[in-house]
Amino acid sequence: MIIDCHGHYTTAPSELEAWRKRQIAALGDPSTSPKRSELTIRDDQIRASLENAQLKMQRERGTDLTIFSPRASFMAHHVGDESTSREWSMLCNDLVHRVCQLYPDNFVGVCQLPQSPGVRPGSCIPELERCVNELGFIGCNLNPDPSGGHWKEPPLTDRWWYPLYEKMVELDVPAMVHVSTSCNPCFHATGAHYINADTTAFMQFLTSDLFRDFPTLKFIIPHGGGAVPYHWGRYRGLAQDMKRPPLKELLLNNVFFDTCVYHYPGIELLAKVIPVDNILFASEMVGAVRGVDPDTGHHYDDTRRYVDQLAALSEEDRRKIFEGNARRVFPRLGAKSARAVNAAARRAA
Amino acid sequence: MIIDCHGHYTTAPSELEAWRKRQIAALGDPSTSPKRSELTIRDDQIRASLENAQLKMQRERGTDLTIFSPRASFMAHHVGDESTSREWSMLCNDLVHRVCQLYPDNFVGVCQLPQSPGVRPGSCIPELERCVNELGFIGCNLNPDPSGGHWKEPPLTDRWWYPLYEKMVELDVPAMVHVSTSCNPCFHATGAHYINADTTAFMQFLTSDLFRDFPTLKFIIPHGGGAVPYHWGRYRGLAQDMKRPPLKELLLNNVFFDTCVYHYPGIELLAKVIPVDNILFASEMVGAVRGVDPDTGHHYDDTRRYVDQLAALSEEDRRKIFEGNARRVFPRLGAKSARAVNAAARRAA
């Protein structure tokens, strides 16, 4: 079985974006803001949005289950205030929940958090609890920079974030560190801001004792860990110069990397330098890169092909990357089937 | 012959830092600011600062010539105003010039620019001209974020920067894209800000027509190009999705990567995905990572060892990485000896 730990609902029906535009247009006068109940999307629209996209690609590529969350670039936590973000997050999470109920074998949910610049992360706890306890979600996406490229929040290792971490630990859910769109013209969103955030978060973890305070807290750093595996020697050396413990001991019980690296040499490097227990299969399809690589004739983001090509990998290691590690890092999935996770949610809801 | 295209004077005598502290202390009252002439460093102090550091490592590692610039983390363009930055830059550049005059076979100079947040980059032209025309320098370091981690300047592809580029083209000098220290607590300087800036600059170039406007303008992206080679498939795919030309055509006549990647698998990936004509040998010693890798028994930043291990490289390709590309990207060095470049400077001065 192959679990893709990183997929966003990038193909949601256009009604979602239209609702969001109305919400943004009403920022000056919240009384005119659309209600969540005003979003009307039929089941057949949801099916159509997935059948020729994520589901088709699952079938074609031979992957089975996608850990699925709202579109990252649309989270846009910088828009409006805390209540703007809460309404939008609930709407997006509810839509992912419907996806999971319609295709309970193909998707399990991960939630967007209603973060807002300068607002204490504890404000996200009610929505995290709702998603986990009522919708059957198994993780969350945590934005280290809700300002969208201005980096005004404290580092992820600051006590600012601790109330949220306490809840994550209690609920036994990991977070994928994932920024949203960039409002800073210096940073292209998917080409710079995403990758920079991954690198930044790792270095924040490296310089802190966060995981001494939260030994079971788990983060996935997406996009192959940003620049980190390519510069693994640099990070080992920096940790050593700072008299930190070796990286393995310092953070590899808590920090994991996905395989969203869109060429074989990158995946090859990832598998060479990062312990196999810390690599989770992912493609981010349908995501940042949608084309076909003329050199291979396959989609750039068909990352299964790159992992399949790793001849040095034992079958046991391959199973870890494709399935076992995801089940370990997302304990609410654990040994269960996606269908069982989603069915339990429906009962609770 | 082996040319290291990326070395900073990180070991300058402590008098330099003491002068800088006085300058910073005087920011509130510029009349008390130290004069440049008040910095007194003897030749034997300069010799001592290099003999057991950069020169010793050149000898031990079998490299010959370092393209040498002031300490990057000390540029700190965010401090004070334009005149603060000009005085400090002149002082640092003059010191690098003395290094080159004392060891004309071992070092040629690259200058720090007197950038200041919000100040038009054309303000750097006089110092660039002085360094190139009078001190014999062959390039400059350009900081894409003089704010130090707040990224308030326009992207490097904005016309804001064009006057400086016109002068670089006229003088036939490349720039290394190199940020300085980070004032943003989110970004560790050498572990995140440096690498992020490299990635950011590349993506700015990718999305622009800068090199249509300046076909001979050249940039070196240090630290192995940040995250770029590791994500080469992503960048190829993003360019393709945006209907940009292939990367080779779009920017590989103008953008080069150094080899400051501190483990063999990283260098191996770099050499696999980036055309050999675009790779310049560098170590950044004595730089960000100073320790010995317990796995190899050698310094992390002894990058020559990694390049030497690249069995797939032809001898001609190896000569390009070690020497030929640097001579091509730095035309003021060209086929000349460092001694000849430095001797001409002395005559002009």
Side-chain angles (χ1 to χ4, degrees):
Chain A
M1 166 165 201
I2 298 184
I3 300 173
D4 183 337
C5 81
H6 184 184
H8 303 294
Y9 194 11
T10 51
T11 59
S14 59
E15 283 81 354
L16 182 67
E17 189 173 357
W19 189 97
R20 175 64 159 173
K21 282 187 175 154
R22 287 180 57 206
Q23 188 194 34
I24 292 172
L27 283 178
D29 178 7
S31 70
T32 65
S33 198
K35 294 187 170 50
R36 276 184 283 126
S37 58
E38 291 176 47
L39 176 68
T40 309
I41 296 177
R42 300 182 313 274
D43 283 357
D44 66 287
Q45 289 177 287
I46 295 179
R47 286 201 183 90
S49 75
L50 296 160
E51 283 290 351
N52 279 308
Q54 290 84 353
L55 288 168
K56 178 165 168 273
M57 286 180 173
Q58 281 188 356
R59 284 191 300 271
E60 285 174 358
R61 301 178 183 185
T63 67
D64 302 286
L65 170 63
T66 301
I67 297 178
F68 207 52
S69 58
R71 185 174 194 165
S73 63
F74 274 26
M75 298 189 298
H77 293 115
H78 64 280
V79 171
D81 60 14
E82 187 183 348
S83 87
T84 316
S85 197
R86 187 173 54 242
E87 290 298 299
W88 175 234
S89 296
M90 290 179 82
L91 196 74
C92 292
N93 290 330
D94 283 347
L95 201 57
V96 165
H97 177 59
R98 287 179 64 193
V99 167
C100 297
Q101 294 302 314
L102 286 170
Y103 298 96
D105 295 318
N106 300 89
F107 299 100
V108 284
V110 152
C111 67
Q112 165 178 335
L113 295 173
Q115 297 177 249
S116 191
V119 176
R120 294 196 166 272
S123 68
C124 299
I125 290 175
E127 179 60 2
L128 178 63
E129 286 186 312
R130 185 183 79 93
C131 290
V132 172
N133 291 331
E134 298 176 25
L135 308 185
F137 285 17
I138 63 172
C140 59
N141 290 335
L142 180 62
N143 184 347
D145 172 29
S147 79
H150 297 290
W151 292 93
K152 293 178 172 176
E153 235 67 2
L156 287 177
T157 49
D158 192 277
R159 287 180 176 274
W160 173 260
W161 303 92
Y162 274 27
L164 181 62
Y165 297 161
E166 283 161 13
K167 185 54 67 175
M168 285 169 56
V169 166
E170 180 196 317
L171 293 172
D172 216 3
V173 293
M176 179 171 279
V177 178
H178 207 309
V179 287
S180 185
T181 192
S182 164
C183 314
N184 186 325
C186 286
F187 302 131
H188 184 275
T190 55
H193 189 42
Y194 280 26
I195 306 292
N196 291 350
D198 304 334
T199 309
T200 299
F202 182 84
M203 195 63 201
Q204 292 175 357
F205 296 144
L206 190 156
T207 48
S208 84
D209 290 320
L210 177 63
F211 302 119
R212 197 181 294 166
D213 289 347
F214 294 100
T216 63
L217 185 64
K218 290 188 175 59
F219 292 103
I220 299 149
I221 304 192
H223 320 108
V228 170
Y230 176 50
H231 286 286
W232 197 240
R234 186 180 190 88
Y235 291 103
R236 288 180 57 230
L238 284 169
Q240 187 175 315
D241 285 358
M242 291 181 225
K243 318 284 184 210
R244 308 285 300 159
L247 296 185
K248 199 171 161 54
E249 186 184 316
L250 177 61
L251 42 70
L252 289 184
N253 290 320
N254 308 87
V255 175
F256 302 84
F257 302 90
D258 80 9
T259 66
C260 292
V261 179
Y262 296 152
H263 61 154
Y264 176 69
I267 293 287
E268 185 184 38
L269 174 122
L270 175 68
K272 261 185 204 173
V273 303
I274 303 299
V276 71
D277 288 334
N278 293 79
I279 302 174
L280 274 65
F281 176 74
S283 71
E284 208 177 349
M285 63 87 175
V286 179
V289 175
R290 305 197 175 188
V292 169
D293 184 345
D295 290 355
T296 66
H298 296 273
H299 283 93
Y300 288 100
D301 68 1
D302 185 357
T303 52
R304 178 180 170 180
R305 293 185 60 259
Y306 312 134
V307 177
D308 281 343
Q309 284 173 63
L310 293 170
L313 226 53
S314 72
E315 279 317 297
E316 189 192 338
D317 286 349
R318 204 178 305 274
R319 272 196 300 274
K320 285 182 173 177
I321 292 174
F322 277 142
E323 179 182 358
N325 294 339
R327 292 191 180 280
R328 188 164 46 89
V329 173
F330 291 89
R332 295 186 83 94
L333 175 60
K336 292 197 283 289
S337 69
R339 182 171 283 267
V341 172
N342 285 314
R346 201 166 35 201
R347 276 199 304 275
Chain B
M1 165 165 201
I2 297 183
I3 300 173
D4 183 337
C5 81
H6 185 183
H8 303 293
Y9 194 11
T10 50
T11 58
S14 60
E15 283 80 355
L16 181 68
E17 189 173 358
W19 188 98
R20 175 65 158 173
K21 283 188 174 154
R22 286 181 56 207
Q23 187 195 33
I24 292 172
L27 284 177
D29 178 7
S31 70
T32 64
S33 197
K35 295 186 171 51
R36 275 184 283 126
S37 59
E38 290 175 47
L39 176 68
T40 308
I41 295 179
R42 299 182 314 274
D43 283 357
D44 66 285
Q45 289 178 286
I46 295 178
R47 287 201 184 89
S49 74
L50 296 160
E51 284 290 351
N52 280 309
Q54 290 85 354
L55 289 168
K56 176 163 170 275
M57 287 180 172
Q58 281 188 355
R59 284 190 301 271
E60 285 173 358
R61 300 178 185 186
T63 66
D64 301 287
L65 170 63
T66 301
I67 297 178
F68 206 53
S69 57
R71 185 174 194 165
S73 63
F74 274 26
M75 298 190 297
H77 292 115
H78 64 280
V79 171
D81 60 14
E82 187 183 347
S83 86
T84 316
S85 198
R86 188 171 54 242
E87 290 298 300
W88 174 234
S89 296
M90 291 179 81
L91 196 75
C92 291
N93 290 330
D94 283 347
L95 201 59
V96 165
H97 178 59
R98 286 178 66 193
V99 167
C100 296
Q101 294 302 314
L102 286 171
Y103 298 97
D105 295 316
N106 301 89
F107 300 100
V108 284
V110 152
C111 67
Q112 165 179 336
L113 294 173
Q115 296 176 248
S116 191
V119 176
R120 294 196 166 272
S123 68
C124 298
I125 291 176
E127 179 61 0
L128 177 63
E129 286 186 310
R130 185 183 79 93
C131 289
V132 173
N133 291 329
E134 298 176 26
L135 307 186
F137 285 18
I138 62 172
C140 59
N141 290 335
L142 180 63
N143 184 347
D145 172 28
S147 78
H150 298 290
W151 292 92
K152 294 178 172 175
E153 235 68 359
L156 287 178
T157 50
D158 191 277
R159 286 180 176 273
W160 172 260
W161 302 91
Y162 274 28
L164 180 62
Y165 296 161
E166 285 162 12
K167 184 54 68 176
M168 284 169 56
V169 166
E170 179 196 319
L171 294 172
D172 216 3
V173 293
M176 178 171 279
V177 178
H178 207 308
V179 287
S180 185
T181 193
S182 165
C183 314
N184 186 325
C186 287
F187 302 131
H188 184 275
T190 54
H193 189 42
Y194 280 24
I195 306 293
N196 292 350
D198 304 335
T199 309
T200 299
F202 182 84
M203 194 63 200
Q204 293 176 355
F205 296 145
L206 189 156
T207 48
S208 85
D209 290 320
L210 177 63
F211 302 119
R212 197 182 293 167
D213 288 347
F214 294 100
T216 62
L217 185 65
K218 290 187 175 62
F219 292 104
I220 299 148
I221 305 192
H223 321 107
V228 171
Y230 176 50
H231 286 287
W232 197 239
R234 186 179 191 87
Y235 291 103
R236 288 180 57 230
L238 284 169
Q240 187 175 315
D241 285 357
M242 291 181 224
K243 318 285 183 208
R244 306 287 300 160
L247 295 185
K248 199 170 161 55
E249 187 183 314
L250 176 62
L251 42 70
L252 289 184
N253 290 320
N254 307 89
V255 174
F256 301 84
F257 301 90
D258 80 9
T259 66
C260 292
V261 179
Y262 296 152
H263 61 153
Y264 176 70
I267 293 288
E268 184 184 39
L269 173 121
L270 175 69
K272 261 186 205 172
V273 303
I274 304 298
V276 71
D277 287 335
N278 293 78
I279 303 173
L280 274 65
F281 175 74
S283 71
E284 209 177 350
M285 63 88 174
V286 178
V289 175
R290 306 197 176 188
V292 168
D293 184 346
D295 289 355
T296 66
H298 296 273
H299 284 93
Y300 288 100
D301 70 359
D302 184 357
T303 53
R304 177 179 171 181
R305 293 185 61 260
Y306 312 133
V307 178
D308 281 343
Q309 284 173 65
L310 294 170
L313 227 52
S314 71
E315 278 317 297
E316 190 193 338
D317 286 350
R318 204 179 304 273
R319 272 196 302 272
K320 283 182 175 177
I321 292 174
F322 277 142
E323 178 182 359
N325 294 339
R327 293 190 179 279
R328 188 164 47 88
V329 173
F330 290 90
R332 295 186 82 94
L333 175 61
K336 292 197 283 288
S337 69
R339 182 172 284 266
V341 172
N342 285 314
R346 199 165 37 199
R347 276 199 305 274

